[in-house]
């Protein structure tokens, strides 16, 4: 499977911690784990609040879900478009 790299953005406020960042995510790599990413992200930035990691993971999962939904919608639209063109030939 070909790599599919997408930009993800974090814009969160959890208690007294504000996170604003963006990074690239390979959606074709099923071993990428939002919880693991959030844990390492928090550790790298010395974030002590235990609620920040789960909030980051949820934000990543929500964005990945939206990307998946959009991808499925575009595939469906392409298939419908092809069927429509065949009928007119």
């Amino acid at each position: 499977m070909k790599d599919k790299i997408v930009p993800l953005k974090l814009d969160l406020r959890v208690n007294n911690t504000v996170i604003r960042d963006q990074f690239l995510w390979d959606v074709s790599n099923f071993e990428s784990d939002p919880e693991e990413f959030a844990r390492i992200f928090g550790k790298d930035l010395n974030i002590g609040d235990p609620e920040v990691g789960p909030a980051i993971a949820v934000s990543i999962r929500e964005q990945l879900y939206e990307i998946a939904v959009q991808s499925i919608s575009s595939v469906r639209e392409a298939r419908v478009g092809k069927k429509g063109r065949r009928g007119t030939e």
Side-chain angles (χ1 to χ4, degrees):
M1 179 179 217
K2 188 179 161 198
D3 290 351
K4 183 174 181 198
I5 310 294
V6 296
L8 298 182
K9 292 181 182 179
L10 296 176
D11 191 0
L12 303 169
R13 181 182 181 95
V14 181
N15 302 323
N16 295 323
T17 304
V18 174
I19 304 287
R20 284 201 178 92
D21 199 0
Q22 56 187 16
F23 48 92
L24 299 176
W25 191 272
D26 181 359
V27 295
S28 62
N29 180 358
F30 296 115
E31 293 186 17
S32 297
D33 180 25
E35 284 74 18
E36 179 71 5
F37 177 89
R39 187 184 67 72
I40 293 168
F41 185 90
K43 187 176 178 183
D44 287 351
L45 295 179
N46 295 317
I47 298 171
D49 187 333
E51 293 179 30
V52 173
I56 290 171
V58 166
S59 177
I60 292 170
R61 287 197 182 278
E62 287 174 343
Q63 291 176 69
L64 293 174
Y65 175 78
E66 286 303 316
I67 290 165
V69 167
Q70 289 171 5
S71 179
I72 290 168
S73 293
S74 355
V75 168
R76 283 188 181 150
E77 286 172 16
R79 285 184 181 160
V80 168
K82 285 180 184 174
K83 286 180 185 172
R85 283 196 301 267
R86 276 193 208 126
T88 58
E89 290 175 358

